[in-house]
Amino acid sequence: MADELLDKARDVLEGQIDFDGQRLAELLSTALLSTAGIVAFLVGYATQNILLSLYIVLGGAALTFVVVVPPWPFLNKDRITWLPPQSHGTRGVEIEVDGEKVT
């Protein structure tokens, strides 16, 4: 039972996400930070208060951090199954470069 809890904690702390999750995290961070910047500019311009504008940008950055940095399950839906390692390395592999075989 302790091993199961330790494995779950290790999975959470490792922070592994798949390639689609990386793409989604980048899209979310760009969208959230851009939205926060635009809203902060508009509110700051309307109220003529740069401190309020700064707080909105910092809040947007904090929200982006909470959404993107932890390895949420929706960022790791499509796990990649890697091929097992081959013990013989590159022996027996023939590579052709400019018409010449390289071993």
Side-chain angles (χ1 to χ4, degrees), residues 30-62:
T30 302
L32 288 172
L33 289 174
S34 298
T35 303
I38 291 169
V39 168
F41 175 77
L42 293 175
V43 169
Y45 185 77
T47 62
Q48 294 294 306
N49 188 352
I50 195 161
L51 190 61
L52 180 60
S53 179
L54 183 65
Y55 284 146
I56 292 172
V57 168
L58 289 175

Side-chain angles (χ1 to χ4, degrees), residues 20-36:
D20 291 330
Q22 289 177 3
R23 187 178 309 118
L24 179 61
E26 182 182 357
L27 179 69
L28 283 172
S29 64
T30 302
L32 288 172
L33 289 174
S34 298
T35 303

Side-chain angles (χ1 to χ4, degrees), residues 81-99:
T81 54
W82 299 97
L83 293 175
Q86 298 177 355
S87 61
H88 57 77
T90 58
R91 292 183 199 148
V93 176
E94 293 182 6
I95 301 172
E96 197 170 306
V97 177
D98 294 331

